[in-house]
Structures are given as C-alpha cells and as structure tokens.
Amino acid sequence: MALGIGDSAPDFDLETANGRVRRQDFVGKPYVIYFYPKDDTPGCTKEAIGFSCLASEFANAGVTVIGISPDNTKSHEKFRVKHELSVTLASDPEHQLMEAFGVWVEKSMYGRTYMGVERATFLIGADGRIAAAWPKVKVDGHAEAVLAAAKAL
C-alpha cells in the first residue's frame, strides 16, 4: 500500500554518483522524490528531462528534486550526462525505500507477472510529512504539476 498525504516520509540513505542523499539532509526543508523504473527508457527520460528543465524553478521555491530507481550509480551518471540532467539521481537497488513508499509492486506485461517500480511522485513538506502524492504518474505535464504544488507549500 502506497503512502499518502499526511504520512511521515520514511527515512532513507541512498547512494548517488556524487556521494549520498539522506532524509536528514532535508530536515526543515521540502523536497520531491520521484520513483521511476529505469534509466534511459523513453518515459523515464522524458520525466527526468521535465524535472531538469524546471530545476531552477524548484530551487527558487526551496525544493530539491530526487529521482530514484533500482539502477546503479554508474547507470545514473551515464543517464545524467547523456541527457544533461540536473536533478539528483539516487539508487535503491534493494528496493527498500520503494517498498517503504509502496511503489515496488507486482506488474504484468504480455501475460508475465513480475515485481517492478510503479512510477510515482511524492512532495514532502518541511515537516517531513507527505504534502502531495501522484501515484501511477503519466509523464506529460507531470513536472509542471509537481512544481505548482511545491510553490503552493
């Protein structure tokens, strides 16, 4: 079951290409976590570019954006460089944070069932609670909707 508005954001400490990103880094500050299935796939690329294009506006609103997938940091860095991404990309290869947020789910394709990431985004307020949530994200216009909610905090 996915977390929802008002729930406390789970603790995290994840590896990035440049070090680590931790929940404790955001005490008293709002931030966005978006979960995506895989680096350099069409939908995930479009979503990452969307957030990167708005990075300065998120920064002006005092909000950090973190993209999280099961991919390793080497894959993230290659993805970041190839598409000139400016958002932080963190690795959750064991799916611990994905499971805590409820986005590591059973999926099916072509009659085959498997576990995977459900594309979802969470806006965490300065109080550490989920201020807004977007389950089963459709990429078009999504970064703009998240920015509008972030500005409204």
Side-chain angles (χ1 to χ4, degrees):
M1 178 126 188
L3 294 179
I5 295 171
D7 291 335
S8 289
D11 193 28
F12 62 90
D13 182 349
L14 299 173
E15 188 175 6
T16 70
N18 302 324
R20 303 197 73 77
V21 63
R22 301 171 186 87
R23 182 174 185 230
Q24 69 190 38
D25 299 335
F26 301 101
V27 172
K29 302 174 195 169
Y31 58 100
V32 169
I33 289 182
Y34 77 92
F35 294 97
Y36 66 98
K38 186 158 181 55
D39 289 341
D40 215 15
T41 57
C44 297
T45 300
K46 188 173 184 179
E47 184 176 28
I49 289 171
F51 278 115
S52 290
C53 286
L54 298 174
S56 63
E57 291 188 57
F58 277 102
N60 289 341
V63 177
T64 300
V65 177
I66 307 160
I68 300 172
S69 83
D71 297 306
N72 63 39
T73 57
K74 187 175 181 180
S75 174
H76 282 338
E77 185 60 11
K78 183 177 174 185
F79 181 44
R80 187 191 66 73
V81 169
K82 179 178 179 180
H83 297 287
E84 300 177 357
L85 304 174
S86 57
V87 295
T88 298
L89 300 176
S91 295
D92 187 14
E94 303 299 321
H95 323 120
Q96 291 175 338
L97 189 60
M98 293 172 191
E99 288 178 21
F101 270 93
V103 301
W104 184 250
V105 298
E106 187 175 279
K107 300 173 100 178
S108 65
M109 183 183 292
Y110 305 119
R112 184 174 79 80
T113 302
Y114 62 98
M115 295 300 290
V117 180
E118 179 175 271
R119 191 183 308 277
T121 302
F122 299 86
L123 173 61
I124 314 302
D127 63 356
R129 296 192 174 280
I130 298 171
W134 293 264
K136 300 181 182 180
V137 166
K138 300 294 183 221
V139 175
D140 289 334
H142 178 62
E144 293 82 358
V146 175
L147 178 61
K151 287 179 174 181
L153 283 180

